[in-house]
Amino acid sequence: MHTSQRLRKTDLRISLALYPLLSGRKLKKHFACTGEISLSGDILGVVGLLPKIIAAKEIGVKILFLPKSNEKEVLRDVPKNVIANLEIAFLETFDQAVHLAFFNSIL
């Protein structure tokens, strides 16, 4: 990946972790997320979701925030017993992630 491409996006987890420092709001517990955010706020798809979902479930995560662009892949390729008892929110924008993580709703 070229340096210029790296500068055009950031990690969703890091961005959500920094939000409380700026807003004073507390982050919801028991959720995990993955994805990258473009400079325009879009959540970009990622690869290698199965091991991430399994790891999240093993440590007791109840809610997953995943990129909307990965929805078909997850529903098609991840075994049903792996995603059973998980609430998965497929998100398109950073604003949606913030509202779900801090306000318990999606725009």
Side-chain angles (χ1 to χ4, degrees):
M1 179 179 303
H2 299 295
T3 302
S4 62
Q5 290 177 329
R6 287 187 188 149
L7 296 176
R8 293 188 211 145
K9 57 189 173 186
T10 187
D11 189 89
L12 176 61
R13 296 166 298 177
I14 293 169
S15 300
L16 285 175
L18 291 174
Y19 189 83
L21 298 174
L22 303 171
S23 68
R25 294 192 171 271
K26 292 189 179 196
L27 195 57
K28 184 192 294 189
K29 296 179 181 179
H30 305 296
F31 84 91
C33 61
T34 191
E36 293 181 336
I37 306 168
S38 70
L39 290 178
S40 61
D42 297 324
I43 297 177
L44 307 173
V46 295
V47 297
L49 284 175
L50 180 58
K52 294 174 185 179
I53 294 170
I54 291 170
K57 188 170 182 174
E58 286 177 352
I59 63 167
V61 168
K62 307 284 185 220
I63 303 167
L64 292 175
F65 297 177
L66 300 176
K68 178 76 172 169
S69 58
N70 287 109
E71 183 174 15
K72 288 180 184 176
E73 170 195 348
V74 169
L75 298 177
R76 180 190 65 230
D77 298 341
V78 177
K80 301 299 181 226
N81 65 318
V82 172
I83 58 175
N85 301 317
L86 289 174
E87 181 181 334
I88 301 176
F90 293 101
L91 306 175
E92 295 178 318
T93 66
F94 181 65
D95 285 342
Q96 290 176 331
V98 167
H99 279 266
L100 192 55
F102 296 94
F103 304 103
N104 294 319
S105 67
I106 297 180
L107 290 173

